[in-house]
Amino acid sequence: EMHAAPIETILPGEQRVVAVLLAEGVRSSPDLERAVREQGGLFLPLMGRRALGLFGAKTWEGDEVVRAASAAVQARSAADRMAVAAGRAVHSATPMGLAMSRRALSAAETGCAAGLEGVAVDEEAARALRSGFSLRPAPGGFHELSGRRAGQRPTPAPAQGPARGSGKEEGQPVF
């Protein structure tokens, strides 16, 4: 299995697929941080026992959703609620150099509010996870991720990689 070299930093005019892992009611920040970092994500502790794992912000490899879901499954016991959502990011003059779509963060927040036992996954992220993860329909257009399928290695669905575009897809500085 070959992977292209990671594409670093978001260039002006570029749009990139990113995945967000939102954890609420964090009980073990070290366990969650370890899982996010092991999967190549950026760990961002937030106020109010919340944390964010961001995949695809610094480098884009094409499997951001799979890595976010893998981190969520690995660290599920580290927080009361978890959700994974996919969205787009564009170049920005923020300290992180990107602005993320509100839709992705909003979907992750809504997923956490659903209070599922497993990990709430939005529809866009679920499309990338069908091959290697156990998903079942959940209320509000979400899916509940309970783990990896036995004997299956997830293969990411073709994701749109970095692209030049208008950058108008709700990109707002989140950080």
Side-chain angles (χ1 to χ4, degrees), residues 12-150:
E14 176 186 342
Q15 290 187 32
R16 182 181 289 180
V17 174
V18 294
V20 174
L21 162 58
L22 179 63
E24 294 185 343
V26 174
R27 294 188 297 265
S28 176
S29 190
D31 289 347
L32 182 58
E33 181 175 6
R34 183 172 31 263
V36 168
R37 290 187 189 277
E38 283 176 4
Q39 293 297 327
L42 179 64
F43 179 76
L44 301 164
L46 305 172
M47 293 175 53
R49 294 182 50 223
R50 295 173 51 158
L52 191 71
L54 186 57
F55 298 81
K58 293 291 182 188
T59 61
W60 186 85
E61 298 179 36
D63 63 350
E64 286 66 30
V65 174
V66 169
R67 292 186 292 123
S70 296
V73 168
Q74 179 181 340
R76 179 60 190 94
S77 63
D80 296 337
R81 296 165 304 284
M82 283 191 187
V84 171
R88 296 210 172 271
V90 296
H91 177 80
S92 167
T94 63
M96 286 190 60
L98 71 103
M100 189 173 62
S101 80
R102 287 186 207 184
R103 195 212 64 76
L105 191 54
S106 177
E109 289 175 328
T110 303
C112 279
L116 303 177
E117 187 175 318
V119 178
V121 178
D122 76 333
E123 182 59 41
E124 187 172 342
R127 282 192 295 271
L129 299 175
R130 294 204 198 301
S131 71
F133 290 86
S134 296
L135 295 168
R136 66 175 170 256
F142 284 87
H143 298 266
E144 184 172 9
L145 167 64
S146 56
R148 293 181 185 269
R149 289 189 183 144

